[in-house]
Amino acid sequence: MSVLETAPAPARRAWHSSPAVRLGALGVLVCAVACADLFAGRGVTGADVRAVLLGGSGDPMAEHVVLQLRLPRLLVALVAGASLGVAGLVLQSALRNPLAGPEVTGVTPGAVLGAVAATGLGLAGWDSPTAVVVAACLGGFAGAGLLWLLAGREKSDPEQTAVYGVLVSAVLAGLTAVVLLVAPGELGSVVQWLIGSTEGRVWQHWHLLWPWAAVWGAAAWLLAAPLTLLRCGDEQASAAGLDAGRGRAAALVCAVALTAGAVSAVGALGFVGLLVPHLALAAFGADLRLALPGAALFGAAVVCGADAAAQLLSRLLVVVLDADRLTLPVGALTTFVGAGLLLVVARRRADER
């Protein structure tokens, strides 16, 4: 029997009814996985990490690894995960499709195409995040715009939008492959965008990502009321005085911007933006004023936790395979786990019907 089950009825009701308690619990979870991520890497021991954080380490190498490599990597993972979580919930609400997400609506594939194309043309690179953000944004908006044009009058139909989203994503992925064929020498520098990785993230990426995510995250939260109406359908939204077309366009701009910022920093992390909104809605309900911050915390916890798990698995594989160095990209882990969870969600929706 759990502690919650043995607690007095008022305490149980407070847990289930208080959004502040749930947000606080999520905050504790984020802190826990952040600590795990900080201690999971190679190069220095856990004792060295503690010494550096407490200011008592005299080892310059340990200080460099913790403060210049692990800490910015951790912060970038947290903010990128939060951005993808919010972007996914915004998209699912605006398109009224619980299986919509940046990965299957052309937004993430478009952002990846923009980053890869800019790299192939020599205009950007993995170590020039400013140019990558611009290229990823242009690609993300192009992908979303293509979906918008193809959906046409049926853009408010969730099923039609989902079908067009898959088609657009497939076309953009094909164009990315063409770019790689034209510039095969760039494959090594863009494979991280294709899979998703937090490896090598430094303070430059953090300083560029967090203001971008803060601005567009705040804009998404200000759209919570219109998004809640859009979830009910265009007719209900219009009856409440909302211009559904403008509201949906503003929501898509926020979602694309958040996704592009995350992609420019960590690449295409599969299924994060697709599945995190389901966790947020299950925990906080349909009130997006609460669900959007919840999605940000869930996204941060998922990506940071996946990064910690990927680093631990990499260390294990090095021992098992007797390899000098092997790094498991965090995007491979989120895609593998997310695919399984997506099957569960799809089956549950089929059973509900």
Side-chain angles (χ1 to χ4, degrees):
M1 184 175 290
S2 68
V3 175
L4 184 59
E5 290 173 339
T6 58
R12 294 199 301 270
R13 286 196 299 269
W15 168 259
H16 290 298
S17 63
S18 173
V21 171
R22 279 171 264 172
L23 286 173
L26 267 179
V28 172
L29 175 62
V30 171
C31 292
V33 296
C35 290
D37 194 27
L38 200 58
F39 282 82
R42 292 171 291 199
V44 295
T45 65
D48 291 332
V49 175
R50 285 192 296 271
V52 171
L53 295 178
L54 295 176
S57 174
D59 186 353
M61 178 181 177
E63 291 182 357
H64 176 78
V65 170
V66 174
L67 299 179
Q68 302 301 323
L69 298 178
R70 291 194 186 182
L71 190 56
R73 173 178 181 159
L74 162 66
L75 294 174
V76 168
L78 288 172
V79 176
S83 298
L84 291 173
V86 172
L89 183 53
V90 169
L91 279 174
Q92 291 182 9
S93 301
L95 300 178
R96 293 193 302 117
N97 188 341
L99 294 181
E103 305 90 341
V104 293
T105 53
V107 179
T108 293
V112 171
L113 174 60
V116 170
T119 302
L121 294 173
L123 302 177
W126 187 250
D127 296 324
S128 55
T130 304
V132 173
V133 168
V134 174
C137 279
L138 292 175
F141 279 113
L146 183 58
L147 172 61
W148 192 263
L149 291 175
L150 287 177
R153 296 179 180 178
E154 295 156 342
K155 54 181 172 288
S156 61
D157 184 340
E159 287 75 16
Q160 284 292 101
T161 302
V163 172
Y164 284 123
V166 172
L167 291 174
V168 168
S169 298
V171 169
L172 294 174
L175 291 175
T176 301
V178 171
V179 172
L180 292 177
L181 289 174
V182 173
E186 300 295 336
L187 178 60
S189 62
V190 302
V191 70
Q192 297 180 79
W193 280 304
L194 300 177
I195 300 175
S197 175
T198 56
E199 187 81 11
R201 302 303 86 204
V202 294
W203 286 113
Q204 184 183 6
H205 300 89
W206 161 250
H207 292 318
L208 186 67
L209 179 60
W210 79 261
W212 181 271
V215 169
W216 289 107
W221 188 81
L222 292 175
L223 290 171
L227 283 170
T228 302
L229 291 175
L230 288 175
R231 288 179 63 87
C232 299
D234 287 7
E235 293 183 0
Q236 291 83 346
S238 299
L242 174 68
D243 188 325
R246 290 184 179 179
R248 183 173 290 108
L252 290 177
V253 168
C254 288
V256 171
L258 286 168
T259 302
V263 168
S264 69
V266 299
L269 297 181
F271 293 101
V272 175
L274 185 62
L275 294 173
V276 163
H278 294 274
L279 299 176
L281 292 173
F284 297 97
D287 187 352
L288 295 187
R289 292 173 299 178
L290 299 172
L292 284 169
L297 290 173
F298 270 121
V302 166
V303 173
C304 191
D307 189 40
Q311 293 187 71
L312 292 173
L313 285 174
S314 298
R315 295 171 64 176
L316 178 62
L317 290 174
V318 166
V319 175
V320 172
L321 301 177
D322 194 21
D324 292 335
R325 179 174 177 81
L326 191 151
T327 300
L328 178 66
V330 63
L333 191 60
T334 60
T335 300
F336 178 78
V337 176
L341 293 177
L342 180 61
L343 289 176
V344 173
V345 172
R347 283 198 166 200
R348 183 170 298 176
R349 283 184 54 79
D351 293 339
E352 290 175 355
R353 291 178 181 178

